[in-house]
Amino acid sequence: MSKRADKISLTGSISLGTGVMIGAGIFALVGQVAEFAGDWFPLAFLLGAIVAGVSSYSYVRYSSVNPSSGGIAMLLKDAYGSGVVAGSFSLFMYVSMVVAESLLARTFGTYLLRPFGLQDSAILVPVLGVAAIVAAAIVNLIGNKIVEGSATSTAVLKILGIAVLAIAGLIGTAVSGDGLFSKSSGGSLGIAGLLAGTTLCVLAYKGFTTITNQGDDIRDPKKNIARSIIISLLICTILYLLITVSVASSIGADGVVKARDYALAQAAEPLFGAWGVGITVAIAVVATLSGLLASLYSVSRLYEMLQEMKQAPSLPRSISHQPMIITASLGILATAFLDLSQIASMGAFLYLAMDISVQWAVIRHLRSKIQAKSWVPILTIVLDLAILIPFTTLKLQNDLLTVIVAVSVAAAIIIEQTIATRVRTHGE
């Protein structure tokens, strides 16, 4: 167990979790979800919350027995041993979280440039995203109490800001005489599109795994990890439903798809004018920066655990702060070379593959140890496949390159783990 004196409080843990979730998930993904789900994109966010909520059961049960700063990696090792399977899926999780950082970074750049009409710049967006990652890494290196303190204050600002915008938008729609869904276009890809959109929505809630990876850095982790996850998911679900219904009422699915990466800012303009766009941009900037702080903290802690387990490569010992440096560097590469759609899709593929492996681990190996009911992880696997299969099918039809990149990354991880395991075995 950790002997650190500066443990993270329950409030701080909730703030870190919501800090990751209330970021790119709602500010950047709305347009991409609407491309799949059409007018049903608010429902996709609700379904995403259900999938994430059911999935979180296994993580909560394991953390209540064995809280660790490498939470998910420890779960996989406990179930599968320290071989290729545990190492590969642990790195799937790690890479999906790094990709999520890139999503936050590029969303930061996109919204910051929106008032100047430069939100589609192929150069400025990644440059600002990289700068955001560098700044967040520096703050993290100063100390986790700064991260916790900033997360708590910004979480309150984000929650109140988004709630006020959403409620004001709904009131404005009612006052204008328009119905909540008067902007409906009738366009969608049917049930397959709704399920595919739900796949991306899961990314908007996967920040709860950030709490799992905080592990014994949290005060009274056996109780507070579960509380943090449940409260964070509830807060985000309510906020996402409020804002997506408000956006749907303001500009409809067609308007969301056209605005794509900056849909929330676009939705604020018809009702509130330029000042509404400015407020939305300000909230988005705060949300993404604070999300980066929380994400970098959690992901670097996971990588540190993977290094200790000899499942992740290390730099020369003379280099300090390796987990943070490696994590930030990988995030910078993804930010520089991938767009938001590619980043989100890759994150979804890797995360859901890892989640299925976690649920199977609980069913097959850990159920008795953590006193888990087997029907919940079974249901999670069914739900994961129900959204992943349509998403993959549509991506194969419309975005083959992203699928190839995701498969290539997964294959590279498995090959690296196979080699590393053999070297480790011979060394022993």
Side-chain angles (χ1 to χ4, degrees), residues 195-397:
L195 295 176
T198 301
T199 304
L200 291 178
C201 290
V202 171
L203 293 180
Y205 298 98
K206 69 180 283 292
F208 77 82
T209 58
T210 301
I211 299 171
T212 304
N213 289 329
Q214 289 165 17
D216 55 0
D217 278 347
I218 299 176
R219 297 173 195 164
D220 194 7
K222 292 187 177 181
K223 293 182 179 178
N224 284 338
I225 289 178
R227 293 171 179 171
S228 298
I229 289 174
I230 293 170
I231 294 172
S232 296
L233 285 173
L234 285 174
I235 290 172
C236 290
T237 301
I238 294 171
L239 282 180
Y240 291 170
L241 287 177
L242 282 173
I243 199 67
T244 51
V245 172
S246 178
V247 168
S249 302
S250 175
I251 59 176
D254 286 344
V256 171
V257 172
K258 290 178 182 177
R260 193 175 172 80
D261 297 340
Y262 49 92
L264 266 63
Q266 190 70 24
E269 192 165 19
L271 287 173
F272 308 114
W275 70 268
V277 174
I279 292 175
T280 304
V281 168
I283 295 173
V285 168
V286 171
T288 50
L289 284 178
S290 61
L292 271 175
L293 285 174
S295 182
L296 275 169
Y297 171 78
S298 175
V299 181
S300 63
R301 294 289 289 142
L302 173 60
Y303 194 84
E304 182 179 14
M305 177 63 73
L306 291 174
Q307 284 182 316
E308 293 174 358
M309 296 163 60
K310 298 182 179 180
Q311 291 179 327
S314 300
L315 300 173
R317 292 185 179 180
S318 59
I319 300 177
S320 59
H321 305 297
Q322 291 189 26
M324 182 61 65
I325 291 173
I326 292 171
T327 298
S329 298
L330 292 174
I332 287 171
L333 287 174
T335 301
F337 295 107
L338 299 175
D339 63 27
L340 284 174
S341 178
Q342 292 169 327
I343 290 170
S345 298
M346 186 181 300
F349 283 128
L350 294 175
Y351 173 74
L352 287 175
M354 181 282 308
D355 188 55
I356 291 172
S357 73
V358 166
Q359 306 303 328
W360 179 250
V362 171
I363 297 169
R364 187 70 178 82
H365 304 286
L366 301 175
R367 182 169 57 87
S368 298
K369 179 178 180 177
I370 64 176
Q371 298 180 340
K373 297 178 180 179
S374 59
W375 69 268
V376 183
I378 290 173
L379 176 60
T380 302
I381 292 175
V382 172
L383 293 175
D384 283 348
L385 292 174
I387 61 176
L388 183 58
I389 292 173
F391 180 73
T392 303
T393 301
L394 292 175
K395 277 293 176 179
L396 285 171
Q397 295 173 354

Side-chain angles (χ1 to χ4, degrees), residues 20-35 41 45 99-111 125 162 200-201 203-204 240 243-244 247 256-257 259-265 280 284-285 287-288 339-345:
V20 175
M21 284 189 266
I22 306 175
I26 190 63
F27 286 100
L29 291 179
V30 174
Q32 296 181 48
V33 173
E35 283 187 321
F41 71 91
F45 275 90
V99 166
E101 292 170 6
S102 304
L103 193 64
L104 286 163
R106 288 194 70 110
T107 302
F108 164 79
T110 299
Y111 271 81
V125 169
I162 292 176
L200 291 178
C201 290
L203 293 180
Y240 291 170
I243 199 67
T244 51
V247 168
V256 171
V257 172
R260 193 175 172 80
D261 297 340
Y262 49 92
L264 266 63
T280 304
V285 168
T288 50
D339 63 27
L340 284 174
S341 178
Q342 292 169 327
I343 290 170
S345 298

